Amino acid sequence: MERSGKLDGKTYCFGDYRFIPDRQVLMLDDNPLRLGARALDLLHLLVIHAGEVVGKDQLMSFVWPNTFVHESNLKVNIAALRRALPRTASGLSCIATVSGRGYRFVAPLRVYGGEQPRFSSNPAEAPVRELPNLSEVIGRDDVIADLATRLPERRFLTVVGPAGVGKTTVAIALAKRLLDRYRDGVCFVDLTAIGDPQLVDATIARSLGVGSKWTNMLAGIIEALRDREMLLVLDNCEHVLSTASAIGEHLTSALPGVHILATSREPLRSRSENVYRLSPLQYPDEHDSIDRQNALAFPSVELFVRRAQEACGYQFNDMDAPSVAAICRRLDGIALAIELAASRLPTLEPASLRKLLEQSFEPLRSSSGATPPRHQTLYATLDWSYQLLSIDEARLLRLLSVFSGDFFLSDVIGVADTIGRSIEDIVACTESLATKSLLSVAYAAGVPRYRLLDSTRSFAAERLESSGEAADARSSHARYLLRLFEQAEAEWQWQPRSEWTASYEPRTNDLRKAIDWILGDGGGPEVGVRLTSAAIPLWDELSTVAESRRRVERALRSVDAVSRCDPAVRMKLIASYASGLNFSDHFGPEADAAWVEANRLARDIGNVDYQLRTLWGLGILQSFTGRHRQAIATLERFAKLADRENERPAAAEGERVRLTAVFYCGNARSAYDDLKKLAREHAATAKRSGVARFQMDRFVSIRVALATAAWVAGERSEATAAIQDALGHSLALDHFVSHSNALAQAALPLAIWSGEAETARRHVATLAHNLASRDIAIWRPVCNFYEGAVRSMDGDGDGVDTMQMAVGQLIDNNFLVRVPIYLAMLAEAALRHERIALARDSLSAAFDRAKRQGEYWSQPELQRVRGLLQWLDGDLAGAAETFLLAIETARESGALFFRLRAATALAELLAQTNRHGAAEELLSPVCAEFDDGPPCANVEKARHLLGTLRRQETAQGGDAS
């Protein structure tokens, strides 16, 4: 460019074009055009002689001095110029051909500028700009150490990350750390204030303080830095990407001793560049139990606390730990947002700040004059990125704010029908937003999964509202989810549960958001009703019992607003509503009515699946409410239908419920034998089944029933193995309903009956946690009852009151199954704590309830406790007779465990009256029926008593002789 002798810092403008020869750039508006250096040299000579004919020889000698080239090279480059340049008002090219002579630039031309400032080329006169001051860097030690290793080897490294994540902080800290490695120091160049990419080289030159006779600033920089060893930090390059990339590429190739560290919200895309993506600071998980000590192990919390201490002397404590953790989580670990939040503590407590931030990010505003304007609010730094987006990118970002959590590329395409762009364009825009750090990306099995940080989502959602696009975007989102979940319903029938839930569980927040909008302000009841119906399997698989019931009830209220509701949709909603009532805290007539109505609809439309589901659900309800004979009859109808339709897996579900009802009716051994056979038949296939069809996992539910029946039948090893399988598999499934059922129905009674107080205490705590996590109201009184039972075992008399209140709650709730044995357990606990009147009342209520419900499985226990009361009253003969009745009742039903307990009580009574031989004769055959299985206090007590009786009998025999 020096060859022209006309390089005096001028800019040539024509139409919307700017040509700056000194920088070898042709701009259309603010966008540089891709043209080769030869073509730009030709343009330069033509604009210098605008309106004049420039000969071919002159052009060729200017561009290719001292080199012979064919004229075709000239023609190729002129053609490239013509394609890039506009046409004149008359439709002609800006470059006219003068036949036989050469070319002429004919477009109207405006020329600006003059002489450029000249800088010294003496390196000694080029002082390095000082690095900005930096507060203590928190949570980035590993990152800085990693970058310190990479930079000397890679030479050109760009730290990339979302707005406010701390890129500049890391770059400055790294530069300070490496200061001694570079003989000529470090130069920090802040590119934030530059609006024109063409000023990048001038800004770098000014920061370096170099001077040169060169009018080409880049050449001057290279000359000034030749033979130097220096680190050049280019901060905030995202708005001057192409220019910064070209300069960085040029400098690293021309200056071996110069290394470049850049920061940007997206890579510079230089061939020599090495990209390091900076992640947000780690923050506590939502489910972590947090206190001061373990909270401070997270860098985000440490940063918040340090900045708050600097702002107002804040002292962090255990009480504030959950709120501070929630603030850092809400802010996604973004350092700038955390620092802005911490600055509010002089006027707000952490709990109050947390509540405000849950509603809006408006509190994140800095009043510090030292804070750069674009960092004075979180939205300002996001707006900086937003303004750099293309129209399509900005529109897609606004649309993506409808997603509440993670989403995939297929989801983006599914909701983007409102944009009116091709799939290829949507994919390109999505990838561009991820590159610009506005979308977070994670990979699972090579598939990208995207997420908007909460702050970015909030910002984009505000832009969506202000653009007037919100209603269309949310409607598109809801309709896409409807298609997705109707597809999920079909896939649930055949896809393995683990794969199915992994695919659809991440959609739960989006599901809530869409349903709330479309059944609220969205005004689309038909889509909302259908979407609720399609989502039922997911809620059931995830055990979100309370949420499912709430949303189904809301959808049912909206059904009347739908002009024509599909009978199948209505049927599914009513069946789900009935199922929710089965897990509620009260069983009233509306539950029966719902099951009957859902079954009628299933029969009307010929839906066999829902005929089975509704009969099964009704049978469960009947058993829960103490109507065991009705339950057996209902399940027999179920079995006939399942057999006719060849529904073998469903038949197993119905048979399990029927056999449980048979057990409650008093046929313990028969039910145990059949349940054992059922468990063998479904030992493997049930493990692969979903749970949504019959509310619980089949493998678990069969073993829960088997465990209780086996224990009562005296098969302790079988019972222990069954409940361990049930608990283990339900935990592996992460299915709270199945796990809670296993705890309440089998694990807890077995622990109490075996005398394992610590095991029972642990099960109570686990069940309480489950109920708090999923609000499964049905088991809350049962959990309270066993909590009281454990406390009573530990000698705490208040445990008896807890048991009494829990049984009263069960009766009030009409959850009557097992109430007779609960009352018997309460009576025995009352006896231990000398509350005789309560023991009598409870036992009387137990006999009355058992008779009304036809629930005789626990009859031997009720009779044994009656015998204990008679013994206490001094009626030894009556007590012995009652114990014998309990033993005989247990023998008839096959309840060996209850027979052992009654026999032990009678043996103790006989031993008290010195009938040791009779006591031994009674107890010996019962003890012989028990193997050396798992520990059991009752078995050990009976064996210890038997040993004592035998020793006494031997001693008496010796005395007699």
Side-chain angles (χ1 to χ4, degrees):
M1 296 176 68
E2 299 170 88
R3 292 187 297 275
S4 72
K6 299 289 185 180
L7 300 183
D8 55 0
K10 292 180 180 179
T11 297
Y12 300 84
C13 300
F14 43 97
D16 294 326
Y17 289 70
R18 284 183 300 151
F19 177 45
I20 310 171
D22 292 9
R23 299 171 190 164
Q24 279 286 78
V25 173
L26 174 64
M27 307 283 293
L28 173 57
D29 294 323
D30 291 326
N31 301 308
L33 300 178
R34 291 182 175 273
L35 280 172
R38 306 299 187 188
L40 291 176
D41 282 349
L42 290 172
L43 178 60
H44 185 203
L45 195 57
L46 288 169
V47 295
I48 288 174
H49 300 284
E52 302 173 12
V53 176
V54 182
K56 296 177 183 178
D57 292 340
Q58 184 181 357
L59 287 165
M60 292 171 68
S61 63
F62 177 79
V63 177
W64 294 280
N66 305 317
T67 304
F68 174 81
V69 294
H70 194 272
E71 185 179 325
S72 60
N73 290 306
L74 177 61
K75 292 181 178 179
V76 167
N77 282 280
I78 290 292
L81 275 174
R82 283 174 168 164
R83 286 194 298 271
L85 297 179
R87 293 187 174 271
T88 63
S90 60
L92 299 175
S93 171
C94 288
I95 301 174
T97 301
V98 181
S99 182
R101 295 176 61 194
Y103 301 91
R104 179 169 56 196
F105 191 88
V106 295
L109 189 66
R110 305 182 305 280
V111 183
Y112 301 95
E115 290 293 325
Q116 296 287 354
R118 297 182 178 273
F119 302 105
S120 169
S121 61
N122 183 0
E125 298 176 13
V128 174
R129 182 173 179 180
E130 291 185 1
L131 289 167
N133 291 328
L134 191 66
S135 299
E136 181 184 5
V137 180
I138 294 171
R140 297 299 192 188
D141 290 348
D142 291 343
V143 170
I144 293 168
D146 187 10
L147 291 172
T149 301
R150 292 189 188 201
L151 184 58
E153 298 176 358
R154 308 298 172 84
R155 296 189 56 224
F156 186 178
L157 193 150
T158 305
V159 178
V160 174
V165 76
K167 300 182 292 296
T168 300
T169 296
V170 166
I172 295 171
L174 176 61
K176 287 178 181 288
R177 179 167 179 167
L178 297 178
L179 196 57
D180 293 339
R181 292 195 188 181
Y182 294 95
R183 185 187 65 210
D184 297 297
V186 177
C187 179
F188 182 86
V189 184
D190 185 1
L191 300 175
T192 306
I194 298 175
D196 186 345
Q198 300 311 307
L199 298 175
V200 173
D201 53 1
T203 304
I204 295 172
R206 187 168 58 251
S207 298
L208 286 165
V210 299
S212 174
K213 63 182 179 181
W214 302 89
T215 53
N216 181 337
M217 289 188 184
L218 183 56
I221 291 170
I222 291 173
E223 183 63 24
L225 298 182
R226 197 176 304 281
D227 300 324
R228 283 196 170 197
E229 293 180 7
M230 175 180 285
L231 174 62
L232 188 61
V233 181
L234 304 180
D235 193 37
N236 297 297
C237 299
E238 54 269 2
H239 60 306
V240 289
L241 281 176
S242 59
T243 306
S245 174
I247 291 174
E249 185 80 27
H250 204 84
L251 293 179
T252 50
S253 63
L255 301 167
V258 173
H259 294 180
I260 295 178
L261 174 63
T263 71
S264 176
R265 298 182 190 179
E266 61 180 301
L268 274 58
R269 300 179 182 85
S270 165
R271 287 173 299 176
S272 305
E273 173 191 32
N274 183 254
V275 175
Y276 185 97
R277 288 203 171 268
L278 185 63
S279 300
L281 296 170
Q282 286 188 319
Y283 49 84
D285 185 81
E286 184 176 3
H287 304 294
D288 287 345
S289 177
I290 210 79
D291 60 19
R292 178 186 179 278
Q293 184 174 355
N294 54 38
L296 284 172
F298 293 90
S300 60
V301 175
E302 184 184 1
L303 177 63
F304 181 94
V305 171
R306 293 282 187 90
R307 297 299 179 259
Q309 288 172 344
E310 294 166 7
C312 61
Y314 169 68
Q315 295 299 312
F316 188 43
N317 55 49
D318 287 341
M319 185 178 298
D320 286 348
S323 292
V324 173
I327 290 168
C328 294
R329 189 164 52 247
R330 169 68 168 149
L331 301 178
D332 290 298
I334 298 296
L336 170 65
I338 291 169
E339 292 185 340
L340 292 173
S343 70
R344 297 302 309 274
L345 285 203
T347 57
L348 285 171
E349 293 292 324
S352 301
L353 178 58
R354 172 187 180 178
K355 290 179 181 178
L356 286 175
L357 288 173
E358 286 172 353
Q359 303 300 319
S360 166
F361 289 99
E362 180 59 28
L364 303 186
R365 182 181 298 276
S366 171
S367 58
S368 170
T371 305
R374 67 189 184 92
H375 281 176
Q376 288 182 2
T377 72
L378 183 61
Y379 276 10
T381 191
L382 288 167
D383 192 58
W384 169 270
S385 292
Y386 183 74
Q387 296 302 328
L388 299 175
L389 299 178
S390 70
I391 293 174
D392 286 345
E393 288 170 344
R395 189 171 185 188
L396 182 62
L397 180 68
R398 296 194 296 270
L399 174 63
L400 294 181
S401 68
V402 300
F403 290 110
S404 299
D406 293 353
F407 53 90
F408 296 90
L409 192 56
S410 58
D411 301 321
V412 179
I413 295 169
V415 301
D417 53 0
T418 59
I419 288 184
R421 291 289 184 268
S422 68
I423 290 177
E424 291 77 8
D425 289 343
I426 293 167
V427 171
C429 283
T430 304
E431 292 174 347
S432 179
L433 290 173
T435 301
K436 296 174 189 296
S437 302
L438 286 164
L439 284 179
S440 297
V441 189
Y443 289 86
V447 178
R449 185 176 71 248
Y450 300 97
R451 184 173 77 88
L452 285 170
L453 299 182
D454 280 353
S455 52
T456 308
R457 182 185 302 109
S458 180
F459 172 86
E462 285 193 8
R463 294 297 184 274
L464 185 72
E465 288 287 350
S466 62
S467 69
E469 301 163 350
D472 286 344
R474 290 170 183 156
S475 178
S476 179
H477 182 230
R479 292 179 184 278
Y480 167 68
L481 287 175
L482 176 59
R483 296 193 300 273
L484 188 72
F485 276 94
E486 287 183 339
Q487 170 188 316
E489 271 193 295
E491 290 177 354
W492 179 89
Q493 300 289 338
W494 56 267
Q495 197 172 38
R497 179 181 184 271
S498 58
E499 294 179 17
W500 189 88
T501 52
S503 295
Y504 294 104
E505 181 178 9
R507 324 283 185 163
T508 51
N509 285 332
D510 281 332
L511 191 63
R512 295 184 187 107
K513 187 176 180 180
I515 291 175
D516 285 342
W517 179 77
I518 206 155
L519 290 182
D521 299 332
E526 181 178 355
V527 172
V529 166
R530 286 173 58 195
L531 181 55
T532 303
S533 170
I536 289 169
L538 180 64
W539 290 323
D540 289 343
E541 294 289 351
L542 299 180
S543 298
T544 50
V545 175
E547 178 180 10
S548 177
R549 180 180 170 186
R550 270 196 321 272
R551 297 194 177 280
V552 165
E553 287 178 352
R554 184 179 185 183
L556 282 171
R557 289 195 297 270
S558 300
V559 163
D560 293 337
V562 177
S563 57
R564 182 182 177 278
C565 183
D566 185 342
V569 170
R570 185 189 294 268
M571 171 196 70
K572 292 173 185 178
L573 290 171
I574 294 176
S576 180
Y577 171 67
S579 178
L581 293 176
N582 272 18
F583 288 105
S584 68
D585 57 3
H586 181 75
F587 299 129
E590 67 274 13
D592 284 82
W595 284 120
V596 170
E597 174 65 8
N599 182 260
R600 182 191 67 77
L601 288 169
R603 284 184 282 109
D604 287 348
I605 64 176
N607 189 312
V608 173
D609 179 27
Y610 270 81
Q611 289 180 56
L612 290 168
R613 292 189 190 211
T614 51
L615 285 173
W616 181 90
L618 179 60
I620 286 284
L621 176 66
Q622 290 167 336
S623 183
F624 279 0
T625 52
R627 294 172 287 165
H628 303 300
R629 294 294 176 190
Q630 289 183 35
I632 291 171
T634 298
L635 271 302
E636 285 172 351
R637 288 171 56 199
F638 177 101
K640 289 178 182 177
L641 178 60
D643 183 61
R644 187 179 75 225
E645 299 294 334
N646 196 28
E647 281 270 10
R648 186 170 175 271
E653 297 284 358
E655 183 65 359
R656 189 267 304 177
V657 180
R658 189 189 71 83
L659 290 174
T660 302
V662 168
F663 171 81
Y664 288 142
C665 288
N667 298 314
R669 188 74 203 190
S670 172
Y672 160 70
D673 290 339
D674 289 342
L675 282 166
K676 184 177 180 180
K677 179 182 177 183
L678 191 65
R680 282 199 305 268
E681 291 174 352
H682 295 272
T685 56
K687 287 187 177 182
R688 295 195 295 269
S689 66
V691 301
R693 192 180 189 191
F694 295 107
Q695 304 304 311
M696 288 189 298
D697 177 77
R698 188 188 321 134
F699 181 86
V700 174
S701 62
I702 290 174
R703 276 146 190 81
V704 168
L706 173 62
T708 305
W711 189 276
V712 172
E715 304 291 345
R716 287 179 301 142
S717 296
E718 182 91 39
T720 302
I723 192 55
Q724 287 176 348
D725 281 348
L727 290 173
H729 188 61
S730 57
L731 279 175
L733 288 173
D734 195 28
H735 192 247
F736 281 77
V737 167
S738 296
H739 190 236
S740 300
N741 186 70
L743 288 166
Q745 294 277 67
L748 273 166
L750 265 59
I752 295 291
W753 289 336
S754 66
E756 296 288 333
E758 184 56 40
T759 301
R761 190 177 296 109
R762 188 170 63 251
H763 288 333
V764 165
T766 304
L767 180 57
H769 171 75
N770 285 3
L771 304 185
S773 298
R774 290 297 190 273
D775 193 19
I776 310 171
I778 181 176
W779 299 121
R780 195 166 292 112
V782 175
C783 184
N784 293 339
F785 176 84
Y786 282 113
E787 180 192 359
V790 172
R791 289 167 57 193
S792 172
M793 291 171 67
D794 291 340
D796 182 356
D798 290 341
V800 176
D801 295 319
T802 301
M803 295 171 73
Q804 183 183 13
M805 286 188 289
V807 173
Q809 188 65 60
L810 286 167
I811 294 171
D812 290 344
N813 292 354
N814 203 30
F815 188 19
L816 304 178
V817 65
R818 300 195 181 191
V819 162
I821 200 165
Y822 293 150
L823 285 164
M825 293 169 70
L826 171 61
E828 189 167 11
L831 271 178
R832 282 198 302 270
H833 293 277
E834 300 180 352
R835 297 177 62 176
I836 310 305
L838 176 59
R840 295 186 196 282
D841 291 344
S842 299
L843 186 62
S844 175
F847 275 106
D848 177 63
R849 181 65 59 186
K851 182 178 180 180
R852 280 196 281 167
Q853 295 175 196
E855 190 169 318
Y856 296 114
W857 70 288
S858 58
Q859 197 72 4
E861 280 293 274
L862 273 62
Q863 293 163 342
R864 180 181 64 83
V865 176
R866 173 178 280 175
L868 293 175
L869 276 168
Q870 290 173 315
W871 189 353
L872 180 69
D873 291 339
D875 182 4
L876 302 188
E881 184 178 345
T882 302
F883 288 145
L884 280 172
L885 179 60
I887 293 169
E888 186 58 32
T889 304
R891 180 184 288 108
E892 289 177 359
S893 68
L896 179 61
F897 177 70
F898 292 157
R899 180 180 156 205
L900 174 75
R901 283 160 67 91
T904 302
L906 180 54
E908 288 177 320
L909 176 60
L910 292 174
Q912 184 176 316
T913 55
N914 294 318
R915 288 178 286 177
H916 301 105
E920 180 192 357
E921 184 179 354
L922 170 72
L923 197 55
S924 181
V926 182
C927 285
E929 293 195 46
F930 285 87
D931 59 20
D932 294 326
C936 175
N938 288 275
V939 174
E940 295 305 316
K941 178 182 178 182
R943 286 174 174 170
H944 181 268
L945 175 60
L946 183 60
T948 301
L949 291 170
R950 285 172 175 168
R951 288 192 296 272
Q952 290 174 338
E953 189 66 15
T954 301
Q956 288 177 354
D959 291 344
S961 63

